[in-house]
Amino acid sequence: MPSRVIQGLSAGTVAAVLTVGLTACGSGAASDSGAAANSAANAATGAVTVAALANGAGTQTAVKVAEVASLHAELPASVASGGQLVIGVGALPAGFPPLAYVGSDQQTLTGSEPDLGRLVAAVLGLKPVVVNSTWENLFVGIDSGRTDVGFSNITDTEERQKKYDFASYREDNLAFEVVKGSNWNFDGDYTTLAGKTVAVGAGTNQEKLLLEWQARLKAAGKQLTVKYFPDNNATHLALVGGKIDAYFGPNPGIAYQIAQDARTPNPTRNAGTYSGAGATLQGLIAATTKKGDGLAKPVADAINHLIAGGQYAAWLAAWNLSNEAVRTAQINPPGLPLSNS
């Protein structure tokens, strides 16, 4: 069944892992050999194909992109001389659509995260080499220098900024999923949840937020009912069966579920988003490099070039993630505080 939640990849949105089989599960890391051939073909046409082999999670789109010599000149000598950008993704042993997972050819790592890495590499005039590993080994690769940059739904936090530099590229959002026929929307005001029954994953950041809102509503004499279900299938059946009013979870997982439901008799929709960092800070997902290695700036500048040229918007739209767009990529923006990292 389509999965709905994401584990471990974002300190702001921790939940159960999305279970999509990867072919290279036995080792700690796997190189994306399928994408290498696609990359060579794309280089000849001046385009990067995003959402290739998406298996229903995205819309395949050819995005025109060319090297920018001035941005290539910003690269640290160690990266420029190698001619490639080693992009780390922590999607083993299971993928998490639409962010990173093995595509319909059972070989190529697809998803919004490796796709943005490939677009950045094209702007910087580098060959993208995508390496898939476990979440822990993703950071080991960055620490050791074997990986140049992580594109893996990594939340910018104060704790991580002690060891890494960040170039932000997406909002870290939670969302409410409702049936398409529902007229309820969440506009950031938790009081609109009064009288609602909402499902959430146990032990997650979104559960913490929901229980805080429940307590405030109770103090005001109003009721918010929080429900838990044993698995994704049970949650989905409860939603489309009218047993709950909404599901509260990570926005990308909900975008994936909505795409899967679109052609079924029970379509769902996004009823509103909320920052994974809470009310006082917009959480951000960021490209992650070793602190002080000089790569964060050219990566951020490449992302801003893609934003200005429209390729960034096309990338997000292909993966149904336009509601997580940022206006600009920032280097080491304020991160999730140490008290909530």
Side-chain angles (χ1 to χ4, degrees), residues 103-145:
S104 55
D105 66 350
Q106 297 301 308
Q107 178 184 4
T108 304
L109 188 71
T110 190
S112 63
E113 304 300 90
D115 275 354
L116 182 59
R118 293 172 184 129
L119 287 167
V120 166
V123 172
L124 295 175
L126 299 171
K127 175 185 175 182
V129 177
V130 181
V131 178
N132 190 19
S133 68
T134 63
W135 177 249
E136 295 79 8
N137 283 333
L138 163 63
F139 292 95
V140 171
I142 297 171
D143 294 343
S144 66

Side-chain angles (χ1 to χ4, degrees), residues 11-239:
T13 54
V14 180
V17 83
L18 289 177
T19 335
V20 173
L22 296 179
T23 56
C25 294
S27 63
S31 182
D32 186 7
S33 58
N38 292 338
S39 209
N42 288 337
T45 63
V48 172
T49 301
V50 300
L53 306 166
N55 204 21
T59 303
Q60 182 168 311
T61 306
V63 179
K64 293 285 187 180
V65 61
E67 177 183 352
V68 179
S70 60
L71 298 185
H72 179 87
E74 293 182 5
L75 290 167
S78 59
V79 176
S81 62
Q84 63 183 28
L85 186 68
V86 182
I87 300 159
V89 177
L92 290 178
F96 39 97
L99 301 179
Y101 61 104
V102 166
S104 55
D105 66 350
Q106 297 301 308
Q107 178 184 4
T108 304
L109 188 71
T110 190
S112 63
E113 304 300 90
D115 275 354
L116 182 59
R118 293 172 184 129
L119 287 167
V120 166
V123 172
L124 295 175
L126 299 171
K127 175 185 175 182
V129 177
V130 181
V131 178
N132 190 19
S133 68
T134 63
W135 177 249
E136 295 79 8
N137 283 333
L138 163 63
F139 292 95
V140 171
I142 297 171
D143 294 343
S144 66
R146 293 194 304 270
T147 300
D148 296 317
V149 57
F151 280 92
S152 197
N153 201 48
I154 302 169
T155 298
D156 168 30
T157 73
E158 289 182 354
E159 180 65 30
R160 288 175 179 157
Q161 282 193 18
K162 295 176 181 178
K163 288 185 65 177
Y164 305 102
D165 286 325
F166 291 98
S168 59
Y169 60 83
R170 226 180 64 235
E171 290 186 348
D172 179 12
N173 285 336
L174 302 167
F176 287 91
E177 181 185 9
V178 299
V179 295
K180 194 169 184 179
S182 169
N183 61 7
W184 178 79
N185 290 290
F186 181 77
D187 61 0
D189 180 4
Y190 73 90
T191 63
T192 62
L193 290 163
K196 301 297 181 185
T197 300
V198 181
V200 71
T204 62
N205 186 57
Q206 51 267 27
E207 180 198 30
K208 177 183 175 183
L209 289 168
L210 200 61
L211 292 179
E212 288 176 357
W213 293 334
Q214 183 187 49
R216 292 179 190 175
L217 287 168
K218 184 177 180 180
K222 300 176 182 179
Q223 182 174 350
L224 164 60
T225 302
V226 178
K227 291 282 189 179
Y228 301 90
F229 294 90
D231 54 40
N232 301 325
N233 185 43
T235 304
H236 185 253
L237 289 174
L239 179 63

Side-chain angles (χ1 to χ4, degrees), residues 167-171 284-285 300-301 303-305 307-308 312 325-331 333:
S168 59
Y169 60 83
R170 226 180 64 235
E171 290 186 348
L284 293 170
I285 303 298
D301 289 346
I303 295 168
N304 282 324
H305 175 79
I307 291 173
Y312 171 84
V326 296
R327 293 185 178 181
T328 185
Q330 303 175 65
I331 299 171

